[in-house]
Amino acid sequence: MQQGAKRMPGTAVTKSVVANDPGGRRREQIFVDIIEKISVTFSSSGYILTSEIDGTIQMKSYLSGNPEIRLALNEDLDIGRGGGVSVYEYRSSPGSGVILDDCNFHESVRLDSSVPPDGEFPVMNYRMTQEFRPPFHVNTLIEEAGRLKAEVIIKIRAEFPSDIIANTITVQMPLPNYTCRASFELEHDAVGQKTDFKESSKMLECSLKKASFESLS
């Protein structure tokens, strides 16, 4: 692994890096995906209380001959917060923008290069608790509408640029165990949204096929 001055665009993670042999008969492929699980806790007024990212750089290699490859990290990346938190304690430059609390690499990875095994494997796992802007902002309002009835308003605002589209979004809200039924009201211009009440698990569920900044704001 090494620091790289050049950055690949976001769409690069969904495409393979392909090379043909001189005869053009073989296609050598390697796929790289970045998978992140984001956990954010909002207060009742919408402020962020806690935020954390658990991420994995996943690689699927179909390269013959076990060639050596190099995977560059962003130049503004720091690994370890000092004081022995991380065994790597990698520093790209003072005052960098992204700090990983900790990380671990696959056994095939060295800090200068690596020889990937065949098939799929995690190149790197990492964790970050540095403040970041979540892709969605959630606001909720709960009001009593009677002795055994409550009204819940959930608003989701997309925080990503308007030229980005999020696909297959599911919003779930747990309800009290004594809940027996629920009804839904969507905005009049809502498109591609479905709602459901999972009685067995006492869960409200709303799904969206796709969403952009304009459709959720």
Side-chain angles (χ1 to χ4, degrees), residues 29-32 58-64 66 106 108 116-123:
Q29 294 182 320
I30 185 168
F31 297 85
V32 179
Q58 196 81 6
M59 183 176 291
K60 184 179 292 186
S61 175
Y62 298 102
L63 302 178
S64 60
N66 294 325
H106 188 268
S108 67
D118 292 334
E120 187 172 358
F121 68 100
V123 178

Side-chain angles (χ1 to χ4, degrees), residues 63-144:
L63 302 178
S64 60
N66 294 325
E68 186 178 88
I69 65 172
R70 292 187 177 184
L71 183 65
L73 301 177
N74 282 351
E75 59 183 0
D76 60 352
L77 175 68
D78 286 350
I79 299 177
R81 291 181 174 272
V85 175
S86 171
V87 296
Y88 298 101
E89 287 299 327
Y90 174 84
R91 288 288 183 272
S92 58
S93 60
S96 295
V98 180
I99 301 176
L100 302 183
D101 291 62
D102 208 348
C103 70
N104 60 72
F105 296 95
H106 188 268
E107 58 184 6
S108 67
V109 176
R110 301 191 304 271
L111 292 183
D112 56 347
S113 62
S114 65
V115 178
D118 292 334
E120 187 172 358
F121 68 100
V123 178
M124 174 184 176
N125 299 308
Y126 58 90
R127 181 175 63 90
M128 186 182 82
T129 57
Q130 178 190 16
E131 291 185 7
F132 60 89
R133 186 175 182 177
F136 299 98
H137 204 93
V138 181
N139 286 92
T140 59
L141 176 63
I142 302 177
E143 295 182 341
E144 292 186 5

Side-chain angles (χ1 to χ4, degrees), residues 138-212:
V138 181
N139 286 92
T140 59
L141 176 63
I142 302 177
E143 295 182 341
E144 292 186 5
R147 190 170 63 89
L148 297 174
K149 182 179 179 181
E151 292 184 354
V152 180
I153 300 175
I154 302 176
K155 293 185 177 181
I156 304 173
R157 185 176 71 247
E159 297 287 352
F160 43 79
S162 58
D163 59 341
I164 296 177
I165 295 178
N167 296 312
T168 314
I169 301 170
T170 301
V171 179
Q172 294 180 326
M173 178 180 175
L175 298 176
N177 292 332
Y178 51 78
T179 304
C180 58
R181 65 179 181 272
S183 59
F184 301 87
E185 291 184 10
L186 298 175
E187 296 289 340
H188 66 279
D189 56 349
V191 178
Q193 298 186 25
K194 294 182 179 180
T195 57
D196 192 15
F197 169 52
K198 307 291 186 180
E199 187 173 1
S200 59
S201 58
K202 306 299 182 184
M203 186 79 67
L204 286 180
E205 188 172 288
C206 179
S207 59
L208 299 85
K209 288 185 177 180
K210 60 176 58 179
S212 61

